[in-house]
Amino acid sequence: MCGIFGVIGSREVSSLIIDGLRKLEYRGYDSAGLATIQNLNKNQFGELLIRKSQGKLINLSNLIKEKPIQGHLGIGHTRWATHGKPNEKNAHPHIDFTGQIAVVQNGIIENHRDLSKRLKLKGIKFNSETDTEIIPHLLGLEIKNLLDKGLLTNGQTLLSAVQNVLSLLEGTYSIGVIWAKAPDALVVARRQAPLVIGCGEGEYFCASDSTALVGFTRTVLPLEDHEVALLTPLGIELYDENGNRQYREPSLLRGTELFADKKNYRHFMLKEIYEQPETAQLWIDRYMPSGVPAENLVALPISKSSIEKIERIQILACGTSRHAAMVGAYLLEQFAGVPTNVFFASEFRYSPPPLSPNTLTIGVSQSGETADTLAALRMEKQRRDAINDPDFSFHQLGITNRLDSSLARELDHVIDIESGIEIGVAATKTFLGQMLSFYGLTILFASHKHKRSTQEILDFSNELRMVPKQLLDIIKKHDALSKEIARLFVETKDVIFLGRGINYPIALEGALKLKEISYIHAQGYPAGELKHGPIALLDKHVPVISIAIPGVVYEKVISNSQEAKARDARLIGVAPHGPESEMFDELFSIPKVSEWISPLLTVIPLQLFSYHIASHKGLDVDQPRNLAKSVTVE
Ligand code: M6R
């Protein structure tokens, strides 16, 4: 989703900003722009310069080569259209009616219609269809007001103007603001949309995501909600929403995991699929070290006493993270015996179920910045805090790949899936990491609640330990096969994915992956539902992908698949080799594992299948149209 990158210091900033924006490209965008304050003119004020372009960042960087733009202070933006088409006019930065203030914004200003009506009544003309443009205009008026009151033309005045204007805005946002008359000031603010300050040597940065700061600095200061900061070449002044000065130590970005390197892979998505054996091994080494006593097999941030107290679990997530949560819910209910519900975070926030006592709320988000998931978690905390009854208190757990995210900062207990940065918009290795976290929780709940014997728990965890090696074999075997099969489906318009029980969420995930990156319509169904409607769609043009793993529902899935084949559908199986697998036109064979463990393996051929179709069609696999890696608006 929209990305902000800003710099203030003593170097020329335009190429630095392009570099920073490039590292935010993976978030998804459709236009880009930047503004700088060029050297002081004879009035001792700077001049605001703007360059914008539609489409990819390369267009902006070519434009800057043709029409260079100077300055030691600047803000840049990659826009993911919400209000108004993705064109140059709507690209950020937006400027005020004086032409001296520029603003970049991530998020949505919900009361922009009212505010723009008021501004239009004052004779202010708008140049874009965006919600953002009201901010520079409001700032223009407020600065005039402050100067009339005798304030000086400097960064402090810009800061005061931003503080005053923010009180008029409703919605969620992060912003960066510069003013030609204060060439030594960059003002930033956040309300429920991420923004991180980076501290360099005599220069300061702001970015939507710490990944953009790698290569510039490792010292970061994430803004908290409702904070405003004034950055100058000399330092940072940080304020809370009441204007009280805040003092906080910056922290250091850890390790090298934030460096995004495609290595020799054609796309990040393929690289990330290939990284899954390692992801799984790292997860197991960290959370299930060998040689520990059976009652202590998993080291996750949830205590035995909390687990004993918890009677019910609710999980809030979106997209692929919700599919991981559904696998988790199956395990927690069927293996560990804990009633568990999964909610679309976007639905939960407006129609939550009645409060239940002793309930653990789990938020799952690879980015840790998904607006709906964060809002649903905040709402749940609020309503539980409000009733002030210990039985209904907010027991919380987050599962994320980003320890520097809002989710990780807002929740008291967090499982870091540590999958390493994921650049492809289509989640693959983080899905695996999220599922593994639920396997770990299942072991803990089953063991501390005495729902399974020690032997059952040991068997379950021993099988889990074999997964990295099995993943390696499956990827090797099925990469070539899926590449070969993918050619047959390039013209396909609809695909049906079938799964049951623990593999139903994998059918949903297979369909989501295919839709996201190949733009082929796909639906996942619990196989038993086929004859209740979707079977009407089947003919030789609609392939069916069936996940059939021996276990509780194996025979049923096989019969449902036969029903599809009888309607001439081309049938692709994700199943172990055996007499039944003869019925499939194509087979992605899976080792004979227990049904419990199978989702960790069955998802792999589906990821590869989608990848190869999209890649064969020549599509932008890593940045599919209209999608964003981090969905920071509602
Ligand atoms: O960052 P999150 O895990 O919260 O993101 C949730 C969804 O937006 C995300 O899973 C989306 O569905 C992906 N593009 C899936 O590949």
Side-chain angles (χ1 to χ4, degrees):
M1 219 129 266
C2 300
I4 292 176
F5 192 86
V7 194
I8 184 162
S10 53
R11 293 194 274 171
E12 283 298 328
V13 292
S14 68
S15 61
L16 305 180
I17 293 174
I18 294 286
D19 214 21
L21 291 179
R22 197 166 286 129
K23 295 187 187 127
L24 294 173
E25 275 192 295
Y26 79 101
R27 293 163 64 91
Y29 70 104
D30 37 48
S31 55
L34 70 79
T36 60
I37 307 284
Q38 200 177 24
N39 296 336
L40 302 185
N41 62 27
K42 55 181 181 309
N43 300 322
Q44 296 303 294
F45 296 137
E47 189 184 349
L48 183 63
L49 299 176
I50 309 257
R51 301 285 183 270
K52 296 180 187 189
S53 68
Q54 190 178 336
K56 293 289 175 193
L57 203 54
I58 185 77
N59 301 344
L60 181 65
S61 92
N62 287 342
L63 178 68
I64 288 170
K65 275 184 205 139
E66 276 166 38
K67 293 185 182 173
I69 176 170
Q70 281 89 30
H72 298 166
L73 163 63
I75 46 179
H77 190 263
T78 45
R79 172 173 187 256
W80 187 86
T82 57
H83 296 67
K85 289 203 177 312
N87 55 25
E88 196 181 313
K89 183 180 72 173
N90 291 329
H92 299 210
H94 289 287
I95 54 171
D96 76 317
F97 57 92
T98 68
Q100 292 180 338
I101 301 164
V103 173
V104 287
Q105 181 224 343
N106 176 5
I108 291 181
I109 308 300
E110 284 166 3
N111 59 339
H112 73 102
R113 273 191 204 88
D114 286 351
L115 293 169
S116 67
K117 247 187 239 158
R118 276 154 57 182
L119 289 165
K120 281 174 189 162
L121 285 176
K122 290 182 194 281
I124 290 174
K125 290 206 169 41
F126 281 70
N127 296 307
S128 76
E129 305 154 288
T130 65
D131 53 333
T132 307
E133 197 184 336
I134 53 148
I135 307 176
H137 292 315
L138 288 169
L139 284 169
L141 290 176
E142 183 57 17
I143 284 183
K144 183 175 174 313
N145 182 27
L146 294 175
L147 295 179
D148 287 350
K149 284 186 182 157
L151 264 70
L152 298 175
T153 304
N154 62 19
Q156 290 296 337
T157 299
L158 179 63
L159 172 70
S160 303
V162 170
Q163 285 167 321
N164 297 345
V165 163
L166 290 185
S167 65
L168 306 174
L169 306 183
E170 287 167 18
T172 58
Y173 52 79
S174 52
I175 57 170
V177 184
I178 55 176
W179 179 29
K181 292 191 168 179
D184 57 356
L186 166 57
V187 177
V188 294
R190 101 162 240 178
R191 188 194 284 172
Q192 294 180 13
L195 202 73
V196 186
I197 296 173
C199 315
E201 290 290 319
E203 57 188 5
Y204 289 87
F205 306 86
C206 65
S208 296
D209 192 326
S210 48
T211 45
L213 296 172
V214 173
F216 295 108
T217 178
R218 286 190 159 274
T219 313
V220 296
L221 184 71
L223 275 192
E224 299 287 349
D225 252 352
H226 300 281
E227 281 184 340
V228 182
L230 168 65
L231 314 185
T232 73
L234 300 177
I236 306 170
E237 283 178 27
L238 189 63
Y239 297 88
D240 70 10
E241 66 179 316
N242 302 317
N244 300 317
R245 185 84 188 256
Q246 303 293 298
Y247 297 92
R248 231 185 9 260
E249 285 298 310
S251 53
L252 274 188
L253 286 177
R254 291 177 311 134
T256 54
E257 77 275 19
L258 292 173
F259 286 101
D261 176 2
K262 214 193 291 177
K263 302 204 172 128
N264 290 324
Y265 290 90
R266 184 153 171 229
H267 295 104
F268 276 108
M269 182 180 174
L270 187 61
K271 171 181 166 258
E272 287 154 5
I273 292 173
Y274 266 82
E275 279 171 352
Q276 291 178 104
E278 198 188 335
T279 304
Q281 192 60 59
L282 287 171
W283 192 96
I284 288 167
D285 292 347
R286 171 159 180 193
Y287 293 114
M288 288 181 56
S290 42
V292 292
E295 64 281 8
N296 237 341
L297 277 180
V298 187
L300 291 178
I302 179 161
S303 68
K304 188 171 180 220
S305 59
S306 307
I307 289 177
E308 284 165 352
K309 195 159 183 236
I310 299 299
E311 292 164 11
R312 171 172 286 279
I313 298 176
Q314 56 185 9
I315 316 176
L316 314 180
C318 303
T320 288
S321 297
R322 195 180 71 91
H323 299 154
M326 288 171 74
V327 172
Y330 185 97
L331 291 164
L332 287 160
E333 287 201 326
Q334 304 300 322
F335 191 87
V338 189
T340 305
N341 293 96
V342 180
F343 295 89
F344 289 102
S346 53
E347 290 295 312
F348 184 92
R349 56 189 292 198
Y350 298 110
S351 49
L355 286 176
S356 52
N358 301 315
T359 299
L360 171 66
T361 304
I362 306 182
V364 191
S365 169
Q366 65 77 24
S367 64
E369 298 295 352
T370 298
D372 282 318
T373 308
L374 292 173
L377 288 165
R378 288 173 191 139
M379 188 273 282
E380 185 62 1
K381 174 171 168 32
Q382 248 172 23
R383 67 175 187 147
R384 286 184 178 270
D385 287 353
I387 59 171
N388 203 11
D389 175 337
D391 281 349
F392 286 85
S393 61
F394 185 52
H395 299 282
Q396 49 187 298
L397 182 66
I399 299 180
T400 184
N401 196 34
R402 299 298 297 271
L403 263 198
D404 56 348
S405 65
S406 304
L407 181 127
R409 287 202 307 277
E410 288 179 28
L411 295 184
D412 290 345
H413 307 286
V414 172
I415 302 178
D416 176 8
I417 61 172
E418 280 201 301
S419 301
I421 184 83
E422 185 176 71
I423 298 291
V425 162
T428 51
K429 62 176 180 171
T430 54
F431 177 62
L432 188 84
Q434 291 168 340
M435 284 198 289
L436 283 165
S437 303
F438 281 110
Y439 279 87
L441 285 173
T442 302
I443 294 176
L444 284 179
F445 274 88
S447 136
H448 295 330
K449 285 193 170 289
H450 309 290
K451 295 287 180 180
R452 293 277 170 173
S453 67
T454 309
Q455 194 52 50
E456 281 175 303
I457 288 174
L458 279 176
D459 291 346
F460 186 95
S461 21
N462 287 340
E463 252 206 299
L464 210 48
R465 289 182 200 285
M466 287 157 66
V467 164
K469 165 82 177 66
Q470 288 162 336
L471 286 171
L472 198 64
D473 295 343
I474 291 178
I475 293 171
K476 262 197 223 147
K477 190 152 93 194
H478 293 322
D479 190 15
L481 176 63
S482 48
K483 193 169 182 178
E484 198 184 304
I485 304 181
R487 293 172 199 277
L488 307 174
F489 296 96
V490 170
E491 298 303 323
T492 300
K493 299 273 182 288
D494 302 282
V495 179
I496 301 250
F497 288 75
L498 299 179
R500 263 184 112 144
I502 198 166
N503 275 297
Y504 165 51
I506 301 301
L508 294 179
E509 177 60 8
L512 180 66
K513 285 290 92 89
L514 191 63
K515 278 185 275 213
E516 280 189 296
I517 59 167
S518 73
Y519 316 146
I520 294 175
H521 173 250
Q523 286 294 128
Y525 287 103
E529 272 295 299
L530 187 66
K531 56 176 125 7
H532 298 291
I535 200 164
L537 294 171
L538 298 187
D539 63 20
K540 63 177 191 266
H541 301 295
V542 181
V544 171
I545 302 189
S546 182
I547 308 164
I549 300 298
V552 193
V553 284
Y554 182 55
E555 302 301 336
K556 313 277 176 207
V557 179
I558 293 291
S559 327
N560 299 142
S561 310
Q562 257 150 356
E563 289 157 13
K565 197 170 166 72
R567 269 82 190 173
D568 290 336
R570 189 178 186 94
L571 199 59
I572 300 167
V574 180
H577 222 291
E580 292 89 353
S581 66
E582 297 297 314
M583 68 186 282
F584 296 114
D585 296 308
E586 315 287 348
L587 175 69
F588 288 115
S589 68
I590 296 295
K592 291 193 169 91
V593 293
S594 77
E595 212 178 6
W596 299 122
I597 300 296
S598 63
L600 296 165
L601 309 181
T602 52
V603 72
I604 305 295
L606 304 187
Q607 295 170 343
L608 286 165
F609 179 70
S610 301
Y611 168 77
H612 282 297
I613 293 183
S615 162
H616 197 68
K617 287 172 95 171
L619 298 172
D620 190 346
V621 174
D622 289 331
Q623 289 167 34
R625 69 180 180 205
N626 305 338
L627 294 183
K629 185 71 183 163
S630 207
V631 184
T632 51
V633 295
E634 184 174 354

